[in-house]
Amino acid sequence: MFLTISGLAKSFGDNKVLKDINLELDKGEVLSIIGPSGSGKTTLLRCFNGLETPDKGRMSFENGLTIDFGEKASKQSIDTMRKKSAMVFQSYNLFPHKTVLENVIEGPVIVQKEKRANAVERAEALLEKVGLKEKKDFYPHQLSGGQQQRVGIARALALKPELMLFDEPTSALDPELIGEVLTVMKDLAKEKWTMIMVTHEIQFAGEISDQIVFMDGGYIVEHGPPQEVLKAPKQERTKQFLQRILNPV
């Protein structure tokens, strides 16, 4: 198993945001996390790459790295975990004063100390992959939201992560631009990238996911393959959520 999560919990003051989270993810699988706002989805995603540190629980990777947060995980182990993943944010988070190409090579050159020439070659290949090679010398303000998000995906891929994390990558986009980002993500799923995605795109999640998690109130309420969770949910709370999302009044 690529990643195993056991008993993960996280609070902000008196607010218990995550409660006893248990998950497994195999290499090449896509896991989608759905649920109402405030259910803990984004906090859970941020725990996977160290942007948030759980209060307790355990995270184990297939190469033997295990982090026990109840024992106050070391900075070194959290740094090692962080290097395994790359995140695509809902608000793009591109450097506005850098070109598209400079945004994509920033991580490999500055953080990973890769030779610039190698980083540029890989960045150009990734920009071609997301359909934006001709925009490599543009600045973010010269791009549409969908194009900026595709640059964000290329930037994440440039870090050569073992795990791709997507935090509602289409939520800031106009409806007509959503498709171009989902197409890139669908291609990544076909290429067997290991991915965890927080999304409100329920139909899309059903198409590309191996597992769906429905969260509410900090708990995993329902978990299983898409055909079970989306088509035949067992829990009443899941049924209510899907009814409101898929059949709005």
Side-chain angles (χ1 to χ4, degrees):
M1 197 59 62
F2 170 71
L3 174 62
T4 302
I5 304 293
S6 306
L8 217 64
K10 175 67 177 177
S11 296
F12 295 102
D14 294 332
N15 184 18
K16 295 181 179 179
V17 180
L18 298 177
K19 307 165 188 176
D20 193 28
I21 301 295
N22 300 282
L23 281 173
E24 289 186 339
L25 183 67
D26 221 340
K27 209 167 190 66
E29 283 192 330
V30 177
L31 168 68
S32 289
I33 306 172
I34 64 173
S37 297
S39 59
K41 305 184 302 294
T42 292
T43 299
L44 177 57
L45 194 73
R46 290 168 66 88
C47 286
F48 290 133
N49 74 338
L51 289 174
E52 300 290 353
T53 303
D55 300 323
K56 64 179 181 178
R58 177 174 291 184
M59 193 176 295
S60 300
F61 291 86
E62 63 180 359
N63 66 350
L65 173 66
T66 295
I67 307 170
D68 191 334
F69 295 102
E71 299 298 325
K72 300 298 181 186
S74 69
K75 182 179 183 300
Q76 182 180 4
S77 63
I78 292 177
D79 285 345
T80 301
M81 175 186 73
R82 185 177 286 128
K83 289 174 184 176
K84 290 180 173 293
S85 64
M87 184 177 282
V88 178
F89 299 88
Q90 55 182 296
S91 54
Y92 325 135
N93 285 18
L94 300 179
F95 295 110
H97 60 289
K98 293 181 181 291
T99 65
V100 164
L101 183 66
E102 289 170 338
N103 265 280
V104 177
I105 68 171
E106 175 83 6
V109 172
I110 303 300
V111 179
Q112 298 178 337
K113 309 303 180 185
E114 187 175 338
K115 289 183 179 178
R116 182 181 173 87
N118 294 343
V120 167
E121 183 178 358
R122 178 167 168 77
E124 289 181 343
L126 289 170
L127 287 171
E128 186 167 14
K129 182 185 187 73
V130 300
L132 289 172
K133 188 175 181 181
E134 76 283 359
K135 304 286 189 182
K136 68 177 184 178
D137 295 322
F138 283 50
Y139 287 87
H141 74 272
Q142 297 174 297
L143 305 178
S144 70
Q147 289 171 331
Q148 290 187 61
Q149 192 60 292
R150 284 188 279 154
V151 174
I153 293 173
R155 180 182 60 180
L157 291 171
L159 295 170
K160 302 176 185 175
E162 295 178 49
L163 175 63
M164 286 285 288
L165 304 171
F166 294 87
D167 184 14
E168 299 191 27
T170 61
S171 66
L173 300 178
D174 292 332
E176 61 188 19
L177 300 177
I178 289 173
E180 63 190 61
V181 174
L182 297 185
T183 297
V184 172
M185 294 175 65
K186 190 176 292 187
D187 289 342
L188 295 179
K190 289 177 182 176
E191 294 170 13
K192 291 297 181 182
W193 282 84
T194 310
M195 298 159 57
I196 301 178
M197 169 177 64
V198 170
T199 184
H200 289 297
E201 301 289 339
I202 305 296
Q203 184 176 347
F204 176 70
E207 290 175 12
I208 74 164
S209 302
D210 298 285
Q211 305 179 50
I212 301 272
V213 162
F214 171 66
M215 291 186 68
D216 191 35
Y219 289 102
I220 291 178
V221 176
E222 195 144 0
H223 177 205
Q227 60 268 28
E228 290 182 11
V229 175
L230 300 183
K231 303 295 185 183
K234 298 180 178 67
Q235 304 300 321
E236 189 59 35
R237 182 65 186 95
T238 315
K239 294 176 186 177
Q240 293 171 355
F241 174 80
L242 291 173
Q243 176 70 22
R244 289 171 183 160
I245 294 292
L246 300 177
N247 300 295
V249 176

